[in-house]
Amino acid sequence: GEDVEQSLFLSVREGDSSVINCTYTDSSSTYLYWYKQEPGAGLQLLTYIFSNMDMKQDQRLTVLLNKKDKHLSLRIADTQTGDSAIYFCAERSDYKLSFGAGTTVTVRA
Amino acid sequence: EAGVAQSPRYKIIEKRQSVAFWCNPISGHATLYWYQQILGQGPKLLIQFQNNGVVDDSQLPKDRFSAERLKGVDSTLKIQPAKLEDSAVYLCASSYPRVAGHQETQYFGPGTRLLVL
């Protein structure tokens, strides 16, 4: 959506870390989400962060939130070929999710 | 736990024809959503149901799109008549009943890919 912006493409070497960035505009967002979409499949929730937190770690995933700058990032450690997909950032306000256009992550050997 | 089911997975129609999509949410999920995902874009909410009532249909093009969830479980989304710009993936999602202030995960189905020629 127009209120959530992401870079369109990211290429990363297998084993390196990936960082996907997202900016949003709604300061009343309560939760922010990262979804993964593989070819031909629906969206799979990867992780989420509450707006009063600034970091959340879940195994290989680290989410950083800068609420002042309305900037969200997702770091994937030790990126694998199975991480190749489209990653969507989404913000939730007033029970509604607004999605970015998605970042296509390509993992090269 | 079975996920959100959608059918058909693919549909090709000509413009001005009608089409219907079906969604069966996860058992016990009171909230059901229909999204439209145009190629290269993120999903856009079309309509949200809470049980069999409409919560938000502000983004639904009501001149051609309709949706219902008569018994508060399955839902159908219809387009009549279809236009070329309706070519997209139509995603259904469901979630547990809302609790104010609490996180609510939406679980997505695989989507129906519609091509309008």
Side-chain angles (χ1 to χ4, degrees), chain A residues 33 37 40 92 95-96 100, chain B residues 9 37 42 56 98 102-103:
Chain A
Y33 300 81
Q37 187 175 37
R92 177 189 162 193
Y95 302 110
K96 187 183 293 189
Chain B
R9 292 296 310 276
Q37 186 179 15
D56 183 353
R98 284 191 209 134
H102 284 247
Q103 197 284 126

Side-chain angles (χ1 to χ4, degrees), chain B residues 1 26-31 33 50 94-99 104-105 107:
Chain B
E1 173 181 84
I26 293 172
S27 177
H29 282 195
T31 310
Y33 312 80
Q50 180 78 7
S94 68
S95 64
Y96 281 116
R98 284 191 209 134
V99 176
E104 166 197 318
T105 296
Y107 296 86

Side-chain angles (χ1 to χ4, degrees), chain A residues 3 7 16 18 20 26 40 48 104 109:
Chain A
D3 298 327
S7 51
D16 287 353
S18 309
I20 308 168
D26 191 343
Y48 64 90
T104 299

Side-chain angles (χ1 to χ4, degrees), chain A:
Chain A
E2 56 195 84
D3 298 327
V4 181
E5 292 191 356
Q6 305 176 233
S7 51
L8 293 181
F9 301 99
L10 175 67
S11 178
V12 62
R13 194 162 46 193
E14 190 175 8
D16 287 353
S17 293
S18 309
V19 179
I20 308 168
N21 295 301
C22 169
T23 57
Y24 60 98
T25 58
D26 191 343
S27 57
S28 65
S29 296
T30 53
Y31 290 92
L32 295 120
Y33 300 81
W34 284 104
Y35 281 85
K36 177 182 179 183
Q37 187 175 37
E38 296 183 82
L43 276 69
Q44 171 198 354
L45 178 67
L46 284 179
T47 187
Y48 64 90
I49 188 167
F50 187 44
S51 58
N52 70 351
M53 298 170 62
D54 52 20
M55 187 181 93
K56 180 178 180 181
Q57 188 149 4
D58 183 1
Q59 299 182 343
R60 292 191 298 122
L61 305 178
T62 303
V63 179
L64 296 178
L65 175 61
N66 181 327
K67 196 173 180 181
K68 173 176 168 291
D69 294 339
K70 300 188 184 68
H71 182 268
L72 182 74
S73 69
L74 173 70
R75 178 177 179 268
I76 306 172
D78 186 25
T79 310
Q80 302 298 307
T81 54
D83 295 324
S84 292
I86 303 175
Y87 291 80
F88 292 93
C89 167
E91 61 168 352
R92 177 189 162 193
S93 59
D94 195 25
Y95 302 110
K96 187 183 293 189
L97 283 184
S98 296
F99 288 86
T103 300
T104 299
V105 173
T106 303
V107 181
R108 59 188 194 276

